[in-house]
Amino acid sequence: MDMQKIPEDMQDVRDRVALMAGRGFTVSEEDVIKEALKAGFQSIVDEKMDGNYYTVRWDENFSALQVFGMDNELVGSAMPKEGSASFIAQFEANATNTWYTLDKDALKIIGR
């Protein structure tokens, strides 16, 4: 499996956890999901911007994916709707819908 490939669903997440365990690294499914969501959202933002102009980071409690501009100003955040599960829990329940939501959030944040 290509380590650069972003896990797209829970099967990919489980495969990555097993692969890492086989290489002597202990990672949880949640760790892999956090990294997948951050990397995936970065990829979505980069695609919409036609380049890597913004940096995506998790906020301190892993609820919002924040988008920062060139001079490290906060451009916007993707966060679960009020009363919704975290993006991590949403990914576990339905990864496809989570990617769709993040794609829509990226459009709102960068206006493209």
Side-chain angles (χ1 to χ4, degrees), residues 3-57:
M3 289 305 290
Q4 299 307 310
K5 182 181 179 297
I6 298 166
E8 292 178 23
D9 57 30
M10 284 308 295
Q11 185 58 55
D12 288 351
V13 167
R14 288 187 281 275
D15 291 348
R16 175 75 49 93
V17 169
L19 179 73
M20 296 300 286
R23 294 183 178 175
F25 298 99
T26 305
V27 296
S28 69
E29 285 185 359
E30 184 172 309
D31 291 335
V32 173
I33 293 167
K34 285 177 186 172
E35 188 53 40
L37 288 169
K38 183 171 89 79
F41 193 54
Q42 180 74 62
S43 177
I44 290 166
V45 168
D46 289 351
E47 189 177 303
K48 292 190 182 320
M49 290 299 295
D50 295 321
N52 190 343
Y53 300 101
Y54 291 148
T55 302
V56 171
R57 291 186 214 125

Side-chain angles (χ1 to χ4, degrees), residues 18-106:
L19 179 73
M20 296 300 286
R23 294 183 178 175
F25 298 99
T26 305
V27 296
S28 69
E29 285 185 359
E30 184 172 309
D31 291 335
V32 173
I33 293 167
K34 285 177 186 172
E35 188 53 40
L37 288 169
K38 183 171 89 79
F41 193 54
Q42 180 74 62
S43 177
I44 290 166
V45 168
D46 289 351
E47 189 177 303
K48 292 190 182 320
M49 290 299 295
D50 295 321
N52 190 343
Y53 300 101
Y54 291 148
T55 302
V56 171
R57 291 186 214 125
W58 279 107
D59 67 359
E60 61 282 345
N61 54 9
F62 296 99
S63 63
L65 285 159
Q66 301 174 318
V67 179
F68 292 88
M70 294 278 217
D71 51 3
N72 216 26
E73 90 283 2
L74 180 63
V75 176
S77 297
M79 33 182 46
K81 288 185 180 63
E82 191 79 34
S84 292
S86 70
F87 282 134
I88 296 160
Q90 289 180 41
F91 184 95
E92 289 172 334
N94 189 326
T96 303
N97 281 353
T98 308
W99 290 123
Y100 179 70
T101 298
L102 289 173
D103 189 71
K104 288 193 321 192
D105 286 351

